[in-house]
Amino acid sequence: MTVNFDEWNNQEFMKEWKRSHRVATLLDPVVVEAAPDSLDDLMVEMDTILASYDRLDMEAVVVKIMAMLLKMDRKLKSSRIRTLFNRHLASLGIPKSMHCLALRLAEEFAVNSAARSPVPLPQYAPRLTDASRIHVCLVTDNVLAAAVAVASAVRSSAGPSRLVFHVVTDKKSYVPMHSWFALHPVSPAVVEVKGLHQFDWRDGDAIASVMRTIDEVQKSSLDYHQLCDGSVEREYRRLEATKPSTFSILNYLKIHLPEFFPELPRVILLDDDVLVRKDLAGLWEQDLDGNIMGAVGAHRPGADGGICIERTLSEHLNFSDPAVSSLGLDGSNCTWSWGATIVDLDAWRGANVTETYQLWLQKNRESGFRLWKMGSLPPALIAFDGRVQAIEPLWHLPDLGWRMPDAELLQLSAVLHFSGPRKPWLEVAFPELRELWLGHLNNSDSFLRGCGVVE
């Protein structure tokens, strides 16, 4: 026997539905678990009931439908969390090969004097503050990523002897990072490896400023991970926040470039998950027109033409919160990202960018993280507002950890940025892009072969 819904009393049904909807969340979990898994299963149950009784119990039908919808909703939410979790695990896991590489390099540092040799060698030290050189900074704890970023920039340069790389890392990663570049020089370019513990800040204000940022990031991490109101959205955010990059101290210390390099007037800042395909001299020589930074994406889509390469401000910041809306920012404006930027350190020193950045980090934490989803870029978008010069889009191709780009765009772009979960050192990376990245590693290198980084 088939259920004919046209025979039901619609008014009676809707009345019962509205009443039951208010108490749906109070349903006995046992009732929810026993509910049909689909509308087809519900129809079968209704047919069975009608075969035994003359009429349906409207209240029982509504309760059963409510229980079924609640069950389906919970399954959907559970599936969403599982999908996110699986993707999350695949993207944040550090491969055994990279663990192996760090350990092998640390061991080499201990037993091989060559691995402990100065980086750079003393005769090249004057280059570190030579303003006529092209200074490139990476703030990273990823040895393999730094190796590829540096090697690709040197290979792509028409004048590699002008290049000076400054690799800033933490104390934990300093030994393997130093060991790698001591044993793998990139002559005629020069590399400096410096741990945070090695900076000799004689300016008390500089030390206090750096420590304020570190303290705020640590407070934010603690508060953020304690947030839990049971909602799926909050759980989603907490899971996203377990990505190492979200609360990586090094990510936030980019805001202290003037303190890191007090004698330099300008520096190119690269993220570690990049591959350089063109000579960086053109980026170095960009006219910033009095601004602090030059970056791709820093334009207004209406006034400057075109569309946003990156996201808009409203996709990073919560404009529904009065603290953000009162800033007077235009949410439709395009945003830039850290991937490949040219920075005028002299202009930065004359502004209050760092203090503004720190203030908004604190405000977001005190708001319960309502102002933006935790990350190092949103407060920078506020702090650098009006101080970023838009540069030619082909200097920086982002989101290669999310999507495969157009082949022509891939060929023409100067810096490929693997922003997103599918990093090139992970198996989940796009195969074509991963091969492109691996192509800048030496397949005969004993460290890389011994740890299975290359075959």
Side-chain angles (χ1 to χ4, degrees):
M1 182 177 183
T2 304
V3 178
N4 184 352
F5 285 97
D6 291 336
E7 297 176 358
W8 290 6
N9 185 315
N10 289 333
Q11 290 185 349
E12 179 186 356
F13 177 78
M14 291 308 300
K15 180 179 179 182
E16 190 60 44
W17 176 270
K18 291 177 182 179
R19 187 193 68 80
S20 298
H21 185 71
R22 290 192 294 269
V23 298
T25 57
L26 303 177
L27 286 174
D28 188 332
V30 176
V31 174
V32 175
E33 187 60 32
D37 291 315
S38 66
L39 186 59
D40 288 340
D41 291 342
L42 176 66
M43 294 300 188
V44 172
E45 287 195 23
M46 295 300 99
D47 285 345
T48 302
I49 293 173
L50 281 175
S52 304
Y53 300 95
D54 293 335
R55 65 187 300 273
L56 287 173
D57 182 338
M58 196 66 67
E59 181 178 353
V61 170
V62 169
V63 168
K64 194 173 286 289
I65 294 175
M66 283 292 180
M68 179 188 70
L69 293 176
L70 190 57
K71 183 178 183 180
M72 293 171 67
D73 182 60
R74 289 177 179 174
K75 283 186 174 183
L76 184 62
K77 290 175 179 176
S78 176
S79 176
R80 179 189 181 195
I81 293 296
R82 282 198 304 272
T83 300
L84 173 63
F85 186 69
N86 290 335
R87 187 191 76 188
H88 180 71
L89 287 179
S91 65
L92 66 79
I94 299 176
K96 290 181 180 180
S97 57
M98 292 178 68
H99 277 299
C100 170
L101 182 63
L103 292 173
R104 284 282 307 278
L105 289 169
E107 181 183 21
E108 196 72 12
F109 187 91
V111 301
N112 184 351
S113 60
R116 298 191 299 274
S117 60
V119 180
L121 293 172
Q123 61 265 37
Y124 299 123
R127 295 190 189 184
L128 300 180
T129 54
D130 183 351
S132 68
R133 307 278 175 174
I134 298 174
H135 294 270
V136 182
C137 173
L138 292 96
V139 185
T140 178
D141 59 1
N142 189 324
V143 176
L144 199 59
V148 171
V150 169
S152 63
V154 172
R155 183 183 295 184
S156 302
S157 176
S161 60
R162 290 187 65 198
L163 291 173
V164 179
F165 296 92
H166 304 266
V167 180
V168 178
T169 190
D170 55 21
K171 190 173 184 178
K172 170 180 65 69
S173 303
Y174 170 74
V175 168
M177 190 76 74
H178 181 111
S179 184
W180 174 269
F181 285 106
L183 297 172
H184 301 81
V186 291
S187 180
V190 166
V191 177
E192 173 193 34
V193 176
K194 204 163 187 177
L196 293 175
H197 59 293
Q198 296 177 311
F199 281 90
D200 182 20
W201 285 309
R202 299 178 183 179
D203 182 351
D205 290 340
I207 297 174
S209 181
V210 172
M211 292 308 300
R212 179 185 174 187
T213 299
I214 293 174
D215 181 60
E216 187 55 48
V217 173
Q218 291 175 336
K219 285 180 180 178
S220 294
S221 178
L222 180 63
D223 289 359
Y224 198 96
H225 286 91
Q226 288 178 342
L227 286 176
C228 183
D229 61 6
S231 71
V232 171
E233 180 62 25
R234 184 61 57 85
E235 289 303 308
Y236 179 94
R237 290 175 59 196
R238 288 186 68 203
L239 188 56
E240 283 287 313
T242 59
K243 292 187 297 188
S245 61
T246 303
F247 290 104
S248 166
I249 294 294
L250 291 174
N251 269 356
Y252 293 84
L253 290 185
K254 295 172 185 174
I255 200 65
H256 291 287
L257 290 181
E259 288 88 349
F260 288 154
F261 309 110
E263 298 180 19
L264 292 180
R266 171 176 282 222
V267 67
I268 291 174
L269 178 62
L270 296 180
D271 276 2
D272 60 7
D273 55 345
V274 302
L275 186 66
V276 180
R277 305 287 304 282
K278 306 292 182 183
D279 192 346
L280 291 177
L283 180 59
W284 177 258
E285 295 161 0
Q286 290 286 317
D287 179 7
L288 301 185
D289 194 24
N291 289 294
I292 294 176
M293 184 187 298
V296 170
H299 67 277
R300 296 169 297 167
D304 302 335
I307 59 173
C308 289
I309 299 170
E310 296 276 359
R311 292 185 288 176
T312 63
L313 272 176
S314 62
E315 292 175 281
H316 283 284
L317 303 173
N318 178 17
F319 278 82
S320 65
D321 190 285
V324 174
S325 60
S326 64
L327 288 169
L329 302 176
D330 185 348
S332 65
N333 278 356
C334 304
T335 60
W336 52 273
S337 73
W338 290 115
T341 57
I342 173 66
V343 182
D344 185 333
L345 296 176
D346 286 338
W348 190 332
R349 294 183 186 103
N352 63 342
V353 167
T354 302
E355 293 80 3
T356 302
Y357 184 94
Q358 294 168 327
L359 174 64
W360 282 94
L361 270 182
Q362 179 181 342
K363 284 188 174 186
N364 190 43
R365 175 177 59 83
E366 292 175 346
S367 75
F369 306 97
R370 292 194 310 269
L371 308 185
W372 64 79
K373 188 172 80 171
M374 195 62 199
S376 62
L377 179 60
L381 298 176
I382 295 175
F384 285 98
D385 179 57
R387 298 183 170 99
V388 182
Q389 176 73 19
I391 62 176
E392 173 62 39
L394 290 178
W395 275 112
H396 177 212
L397 179 60
D399 292 340
L400 300 190
W402 291 106
R403 57 178 174 79
M404 274 294 297
D406 175 78
E408 183 179 3
L409 195 57
L410 186 68
Q411 185 66 31
L412 293 175
S413 296
V415 178
L416 309 183
H417 188 192
F418 296 86
S419 50
R422 303 175 75 162
K423 300 299 185 188
W425 53 83
L426 299 174
E427 293 293 337
V428 296
F430 294 103
E432 181 182 340
L433 297 179
R434 177 172 164 80
E435 285 302 313
L436 194 63
W437 186 84
L438 287 172
H440 289 268
L441 294 173
N442 183 356
N443 287 338
S444 63
D445 184 87
S446 61
F447 291 98
L448 300 179
R449 290 186 67 85
C451 288
V453 175
V454 297
E455 298 178 353

